[in-house]
């Protein structure tokens, strides 16, 4: 059974940092494009960042460019999101997602077949 499990969320003051992890199990995710999305109360799920299955390319929402960094460790079957200079508007539940051989349109939730349960990130002002 394929499973994605996020961790690393929490409460942090504005300007602080968090590192989210997404551990994949059930199969090797070395051929899966993976992404991070966030969902704030009353809002739709939004794209945050994505990384190709080769790990050669990364993509970011404009709102997080220069502050967040996505990476993956294929040997550990784990993806990360380093979140720096956090802002109150970053407060949301963060989800990791994966889809095999995803090679385009990383920003659309419908293109991902596997999702984690989410981890809460709260940034206080």
């Amino acid at each position: 059974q394929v499973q994605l499990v996020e961790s690393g969320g929490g409460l942090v003051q504005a300007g602080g940092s968090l590192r989210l992890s997404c551990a994949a199990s059930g199969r090797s995710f070395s051929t899966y494009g993976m992404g991070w999305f966030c969902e704030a109360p009353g809002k739709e799920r939004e794209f945050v960042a994505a990384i190709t299955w080769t790990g050669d390319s990364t993509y970011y929402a404009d709102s997080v460019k220069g502050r967040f960094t996505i990476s993956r460790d294929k040997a550990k079957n784990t993806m990360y999101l380093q979140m720096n200079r956090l802002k109150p508007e970053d407060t949301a539940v963060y989800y990791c997602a994966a889809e095999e051989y995803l090679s385009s349109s990383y920003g659309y939730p419908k293109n991902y077949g596997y999702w984690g349960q989410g981890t809460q990130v709260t940034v206080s002002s």
Side-chain angles (χ1 to χ4, degrees):
Q1 184 177 357
V2 173
Q3 196 172 22
L4 299 176
V5 179
E6 302 96 336
S7 61
L11 173 64
V12 64
Q13 287 188 331
S17 298
L18 285 173
R19 189 173 85 151
L20 305 184
S21 298
C22 172
S25 62
R27 66 177 62 179
S28 171
F29 276 72
S30 62
T31 57
Y32 283 66
M34 301 186 75
W36 288 99
F37 291 79
C38 68
E39 188 171 320
K43 293 187 176 182
E44 293 186 351
R45 193 163 295 189
E46 296 181 347
F47 171 71
V48 176
I51 187 166
T52 58
W53 63 274
T54 60
D56 292 342
S57 297
T58 56
Y59 306 90
Y60 296 94
D62 288 342
S63 60
V64 306
K65 282 180 182 176
R67 299 190 297 124
F68 292 8
T69 303
I70 188 172
S71 62
R72 66 190 298 170
D73 185 331
K74 287 188 176 182
K76 295 183 178 180
N77 240 15
T78 301
M79 177 177 65
Y80 304 97
L81 185 68
Q82 179 66 44
M83 310 166 72
N84 297 330
R85 304 201 311 273
L86 282 159
K87 303 176 181 180
E89 51 263 44
D90 295 321
T91 295
V93 177
Y94 284 72
Y95 298 89
C96 68
E99 182 60 39
E100 191 168 21
Y101 296 125
L102 184 64
S103 59
S104 64
S105 302
Y106 291 94
Y108 297 92
K110 66 178 182 178
N111 290 338
Y112 295 82
Y114 300 98
W115 291 85
Q117 84 289 348
T119 185
Q120 177 71 46
V121 171
T122 303
V123 185
S124 63
S125 58

